[in-house]
Amino acid sequence: MTQARAPAPSDLQLRFLLPSAGVRGVLVQLDQTWRAMAARAAYPPAVAELLGEAAAAAALFTGHAKVDGRLSVQLRSHGALRTLFAECTAAGTLRGIARLQDDASEPGAATPSRDLRSLGDDAVLAITIENPALGGREPMRYQGLVELDADNLGEAFEGYFRQSEQLPTRLLLACDGARAAGLMLQKLPGDGGDDDGWNRVGALFETLGSAELLALAPADTIHRLFHEESPHAMGGKPLRFACSCSRERVAAMLVSLGIGEAEAAVAAGDGEARVLCEFCGHDYRFDAEAVASLFRGAGAALPAAPGIQ
């Protein structure tokens, strides 16, 4: 398992309130966190931008919803982009990955697009919250499916929150080679704020572009947009890249394969079963004796096998 990296000052999630307008907001910026995530693979530019935006969205949503465990954003399709996955935990750790079709690098292969509508009718975008359960029971999972009727992630998520929570929502996501960022605004439930509050804040939101969202520090963005609304800070959280893989979880995966497949992996690996974590690059190795000992103790409780869930 990789060690969590110390966050730079701009790797932050900031929650704030615009009381006179009756609006709450979350702003996220990922600097070292995004670069660590993007360094795991050489993604095409469109895929890298989508992954960065998904990571920013996952961090935004953990500041918006009650998350005690982890929240993930996951996109699946049968097109050039097969999987897009970003996860943020309640502790502020993030990881993410994208998978392309096997022949994506071949001449003439389909080029991944940022346009969500090009993913095909079978594409699925989901937000999943997994909170720990009490009393040793299975974790509690909540999942919402996001309509892919917009050309970008920000607008797709806007529509999801408007429909699922019945509250006006604005969302801007951005990513470049060095940084990812996001801003989410939502009208507070009830009759809070003045009559023109949401329209006023929405007009200010429209003055913000992707380049400025990426360039300014989080607190500076909030001040630039909403200083006349007297924003109230609701708390900040440092964010960092970290992976939840471990030798114990990989061992659980090998046991789940069965002794035959585990021994075959040892034989194919010249005496070692090797498992490489796609999120952090950690190389786990189990020789024949280590694999045999796993099955001798297979009756003992093991963590859940790792994977994208």
Side-chain angles (χ1 to χ4, degrees):
M1 178 177 175
T2 56
Q3 296 295 316
R5 298 173 180 238
S10 58
D11 287 68
L12 290 172
Q13 175 204 86
L14 294 180
R15 297 168 55 244
F16 60 95
L17 183 67
L18 307 177
S20 60
V23 174
R24 59 181 173 179
V26 187
L27 194 149
V28 160
Q29 195 169 89
L30 307 175
D31 194 338
Q32 291 183 3
T33 304
W34 165 237
R35 291 198 295 272
M37 192 182 301
R40 306 297 155 182
Y43 297 119
V47 174
E49 290 177 12
L50 281 172
L51 180 59
E53 291 178 5
L60 282 176
F61 302 158
T62 59
H64 170 77
K66 179 173 175 54
V67 178
D68 298 319
R70 56 182 180 170
L71 182 148
S72 64
V73 170
Q74 184 172 2
L75 173 68
R76 289 186 182 273
S77 83
H78 288 94
L81 176 60
R82 295 300 175 89
T83 301
L84 187 75
F85 178 89
E87 176 186 270
C88 183
T89 69
T93 62
L94 288 100
R95 62 177 187 163
I97 193 172
R99 291 175 180 157
L100 306 180
Q101 63 184 13
D102 293 339
D103 62 351
S105 60
E106 297 294 327
T111 302
S113 170
R114 282 183 45 84
D115 190 337
L116 301 182
R117 295 171 297 190
S118 69
L119 295 172
D121 295 337
D122 62 338
V124 176
L125 177 61
I127 301 171
T128 304
I129 297 174
E130 182 180 297
N131 286 328
L134 301 176
R137 293 173 292 181
E138 288 293 313
M140 295 179 289
R141 289 185 177 90
Y142 310 89
Q143 187 174 79
L145 297 180
V146 182
E147 293 285 342
L148 291 172
D149 54 1
D151 65 355
N152 64 81
L153 283 175
E155 291 183 8
F157 287 131
E158 270 191 16
Y160 169 78
F161 282 103
R162 280 197 302 266
Q163 293 179 19
S164 66
E165 300 186 359
Q166 299 294 303
L167 292 170
T169 303
R170 297 303 310 269
L171 202 148
L172 177 64
L173 300 171
C175 179
D176 60 16
R179 182 172 290 165
L183 172 63
M184 180 176 181
L185 301 174
Q186 190 173 70
K187 187 81 171 69
L188 288 169
D191 298 323
D194 58 64
D195 292 340
D196 191 49
W198 177 251
N199 292 333
R200 190 170 63 247
V201 168
L204 294 170
F205 176 90
E206 289 291 344
T207 69
L208 180 68
S210 298
E212 189 176 21
L213 178 62
L214 290 167
L216 292 179
D220 293 341
T221 300
I222 295 172
H223 176 77
R224 204 282 280 170
L225 290 174
F226 307 121
H227 63 277
E228 293 184 354
E229 298 290 334
S230 302
H232 290 187
M234 302 295 289
K237 177 185 292 185
L239 303 170
R240 62 195 185 279
F241 172 82
C243 187
S244 59
C245 71
S246 68
R247 187 172 179 84
E248 291 75 18
R249 295 186 72 189
V250 175
M253 182 271 293
L254 290 173
V255 170
S256 72
L257 293 177
I259 190 168
E261 288 197 39
E263 289 177 341
V266 172
D270 295 326
E272 289 183 320
R274 297 181 61 182
V275 178
L276 183 70
C277 177
E278 294 179 286
F279 290 97
C280 68
H282 192 97
D283 187 7
Y284 294 94
R285 304 188 181 202
F286 295 77
D287 61 18
E289 175 54 33
V291 167
S293 69
L294 291 180
F295 288 91
R296 285 197 295 269
L302 285 172
I308 294 178
Q309 301 176 2

